[in-house]
């Protein structure tokens, strides 16, 4: 399961409104190689499901990821922190053994 905190839900709503995205768009989360710790999070809006996609509903949001990314993200919560010291979107990922200082990459 992937979870969406209230803070992330609100920010996703704001982005959808600003981009005038139709209701059929969902959040696609994936893991890519890179970043200071080896693996990075990637967030995009999408409206096409792919074979083997994992689909989750939480807090009124649909979150989709490929099977490989789900192995790294299982039981993670997407959060958002704004303001001067905010990091933007970040994952509270129980699978990560270490994270970089900026919170954009991790290792398992």
């Amino acid at each position: 399961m992937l979870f969406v905190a209230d803070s992330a839900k609100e920010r996703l709503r704001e982005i959808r409104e600003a981009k005038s995205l139709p209701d059929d768009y969902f959040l696609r989360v994936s893991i890519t190689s890179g970043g200071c710790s080896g693996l990075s999070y990637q967030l995009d809006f999408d409206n096409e499901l792919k074979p083997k996609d994992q689909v989750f509903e939480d807090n009124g949001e649909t979150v989709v990821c490929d099977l490989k990314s789900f192995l790294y993200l299982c039981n993670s919560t997407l959060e958002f922190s704004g303001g001067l010291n905010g990091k933007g979107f970040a994952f509270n990922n129980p699978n990560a053994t270490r994270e970089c200082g900026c919170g954009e990459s991790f290792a398992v």
Side-chain angles (χ1 to χ4, degrees), residues 2-3 6 11 14 21 23 26 28 37-38 40-41 47 52-53 55 64 75 79 82-83 85-87 89 95:
L2 296 180
F3 303 98
D6 289 339
R11 182 65 180 135
E14 291 169 358
L21 293 175
D23 290 340
F26 51 80
R28 179 173 293 281
S37 295
S40 294
Y41 302 105
N47 66 346
K52 299 185 182 178
D53 270 346
V55 180
V64 175
N75 293 319
E79 299 172 347
N85 295 324
K87 294 181 180 179
F89 286 107
N95 307 299

Side-chain angles (χ1 to χ4, degrees), residues 2-107:
L2 296 180
F3 303 98
V4 179
D6 289 339
S7 59
K9 176 183 177 171
E10 178 62 23
R11 182 65 180 135
L12 290 170
R13 184 192 61 75
E14 291 169 358
I15 294 170
R16 275 194 190 91
E17 285 180 4
K19 293 186 175 203
S20 300
L21 293 175
D23 290 340
D24 65 336
Y25 275 74
F26 51 80
L27 181 67
R28 179 173 293 281
V29 180
S30 57
I31 302 299
T32 58
S33 296
C36 355
S37 295
L39 298 168
S40 294
Y41 302 105
Q42 184 173 346
L43 303 173
D44 294 301
F45 286 105
D46 195 355
N47 66 346
E48 292 184 28
L49 289 174
K50 299 175 184 172
K52 299 185 182 178
D53 270 346
Q54 307 298 298
V55 180
F56 304 95
E57 300 279 338
D58 184 55
N59 204 2
E61 290 290 333
T62 301
V63 181
V64 175
C65 69
D66 61 89
L67 185 56
K68 183 179 175 185
S69 295
F70 178 66
L71 296 174
Y72 294 108
L73 290 166
C74 183
N75 293 319
S76 294
T77 301
L78 178 63
E79 299 172 347
F80 181 81
S81 176
L84 293 175
N85 295 324
K87 294 181 180 179
F89 286 107
F91 278 93
N92 181 350
N93 186 344
N95 307 299
T97 57
R98 77 172 185 265
E99 295 180 341
C100 67
C102 64
E104 292 184 14
S105 67
F106 69 102

